[in-house]
Every structure is written in C-alpha cells, then in structure tokens.
Amino acid sequence: VFFQESYKFASIFQTVPIFSLSNNTSANNGHIYACGLSPQEEIETVFKYMRKKRIKSLTMFVPEGELFKSVSLIVRREATKYNMAEENFNAVSYKESEDLSEIVQNSNASAIFAFEPVQSETAEVFTMSSLALSNPEKWEGAKFVYADSEDQRKFIEEYKKIFHMTPTVISLAAYDVMKMISESTMEHKEIFDEDYYGTLGRFRIKKDKGIIRNLRMFKIENGEKVSDL
C-alpha cells in the first residue's frame, strides 16, 4: 500500500504485515514496513563511504525553504553519529537567487552534500539518487547511493516497452515487494530475515528494523550512472 493508506489498512488487518511503499523509516513499527528507498539508507551509506575514504569534513548546502529540511536533518544526525568534529561539519543555507557555484568555490571542505547541481575541483560532491538520476547531465561527477542489478536493467527495458516511460524508484520497490511475496509463497520461505533479490539488489526485511538493502556508491560519468568501487 502507499504510505497514506498504511495506517488505515493496519487498523483493518491487525495481524497481517503491511508493506508500505513509503521511504519514511519512522513508519516501521513491527506491523508496517516501509519498503521505499529511504533517505536514511542513502545518507548512512554516504557516511560509511566517507569513513572508508577517511573524509573528515563535510559542507552541506541547503536552499532556503521546507523542501529539503527533513533530509538535511538526517545528514546532521549522521554527522553526529560519525563523530565528525563540529568545526568539520558546516551547513550553509542560501537563497534561490544566489549563485551556488560561487558559494561552493569559497568552501574548503573535502566533501560537499548538495541538493542542486554543482561541480567542485577540490571536493567530492554527494547528493540524493533521486536528484542525480532525474537530470544526470547536470550532475556530472556527483556521487550518490543506489542499488543495481541485472533484474533492474531487464525490468526497466520491459517497463519502457509497455508504458513508454522510465519507471520510478517506487515502481522498482513495488515490483521487489510483490516478487518477494510471490517467492515466499511458492518456495515456502519466511518473509522476515531471509535474503531476497530484486531490481534494487539483495534485501531482507527484519521485524525490528524494516527493509535492509545492500546499497553502494555510484557516480555520474558522461551523463550515465556508473559504479564507484
């Protein structure tokens, strides 16, 4: 079900697991399971990558307004969990009328998290997958977290043939959930704490945490999504 219907169906089917296409991990409560690709998952993986690469400073550029407020709060929380020194984490708010490129060039951070396309000659640029993939030409060089699989490529090809458009991440997540339920029924597998494979790679659903995916870093190179191993 979609997120806005989750609690309604949860009140009707009180003993049946509810798989929601929400990407809001706060919906996970042992009855409802958010199965969308969540900002929390993506940002956690970005910080794991930063730890591996020993990147110690980050500047986040946030346009004024409410649009990216919730995601920017997740970045702040993960920076705290990462034990990033206060002087090494900086959140810069700017007006839409301001030139972000000029602001970025004056930054001395070794990494940047941005919600609008920007390039830097000295810092790695991170963003959300939904932003990078919506306009890859403008996000050249940016890094983001996603999942990839042969199933995904096949699904996208078939989807385009039938619907004449590119599927959204919600479409991929919905397909994976339906495939999981079908496979669980046909093969007599448990739904929880079992590995499943779908368009968004390997995943499992844990009763206490919801869906857990094996995500990894990608980057935009020549307008295409490529793995950043």
Side-chain angles (χ1 to χ4, degrees):
V1 297
F2 288 100
F3 181 64
Q4 62 268 28
E5 301 289 332
S6 300
Y7 294 102
K8 181 179 79 173
F9 280 97
S11 66
I12 298 171
F13 301 100
Q14 297 182 13
T15 60
V16 178
I18 305 295
F19 298 108
S20 169
L21 295 179
S22 168
N23 63 1
N24 185 350
T25 55
S26 65
N28 294 321
N29 62 10
H31 185 195
I32 299 171
Y33 302 91
C35 296
L37 183 60
S38 72
Q40 182 72 43
E41 288 180 280
E42 293 192 44
I43 293 166
E44 283 178 355
T45 307
V46 166
F47 276 90
K48 287 177 184 176
Y49 175 87
M50 289 176 60
R51 184 178 291 110
K52 180 180 177 182
K53 296 292 184 179
R54 298 183 179 178
I55 298 172
K56 299 186 181 299
S57 64
L58 176 70
T59 298
M60 176 174 61
F61 294 94
V62 188
E64 289 185 351
E66 297 294 314
L67 185 58
F68 297 108
K69 186 176 180 179
S70 61
V71 179
S72 64
L73 288 174
I74 296 172
V75 176
R76 289 176 186 271
R77 285 200 303 267
E78 287 303 313
T80 302
K81 286 168 57 178
Y82 182 65
N83 293 324
M84 184 173 283
E86 189 174 335
E87 63 270 19
N88 289 336
F89 178 75
N90 191 21
V92 178
S93 178
Y94 64 94
K95 295 182 174 67
E96 287 186 13
S97 58
E98 294 183 88
D99 185 353
L100 179 57
S101 297
E102 186 175 331
I103 300 172
V104 166
Q105 296 313 316
N106 294 324
S107 168
N108 58 3
S110 53
I112 290 167
F113 201 101
F115 300 97
E116 292 185 10
V118 69
Q119 274 85 40
S120 172
E121 295 179 359
T122 58
E124 294 201 55
V125 176
F126 299 97
T127 190
M128 303 301 295
S129 63
S130 57
L131 298 174
L133 295 173
S134 66
N135 201 339
E137 290 79 11
K138 288 191 175 182
W139 283 99
E140 184 67 27
K143 296 185 178 182
F144 57 96
V145 174
Y146 202 57
D148 199 11
S149 68
E150 185 60 33
D151 281 358
Q152 182 182 135
R153 289 184 281 275
K154 290 178 180 177
F155 178 83
I156 291 173
E157 288 177 10
E158 291 300 315
Y159 193 98
K160 285 180 175 179
K161 288 178 185 177
I162 296 171
F163 298 106
H164 309 291
M165 60 187 294
T166 301
T168 63
V169 176
I170 289 179
S171 300
L172 299 175
Y175 176 82
D176 287 354
V177 170
M178 294 303 297
K179 182 181 177 185
M180 174 194 71
I181 294 171
S182 174
E183 188 176 322
S184 171
T185 303
M186 298 293 291
E187 299 183 12
H188 305 289
K189 286 175 64 175
E190 291 289 336
I191 284 181
F192 299 104
D193 298 315
E194 289 278 357
D195 283 341
Y196 289 89
Y197 296 84
T199 61
L200 291 172
R202 188 175 69 180
F203 67 96
R204 62 169 47 200
I205 296 181
K206 299 185 73 66
K207 284 188 176 181
D208 57 338
K209 293 182 179 179
I211 195 164
I212 297 176
R213 291 187 176 91
N214 283 3
L215 300 176
R216 54 195 176 96
M217 297 301 303
F218 289 83
K219 63 182 177 181
I220 300 297
E221 192 173 275
N222 299 320
E224 299 287 338
K225 175 190 73 176
V226 298
S227 178
D228 184 54
L229 297 177

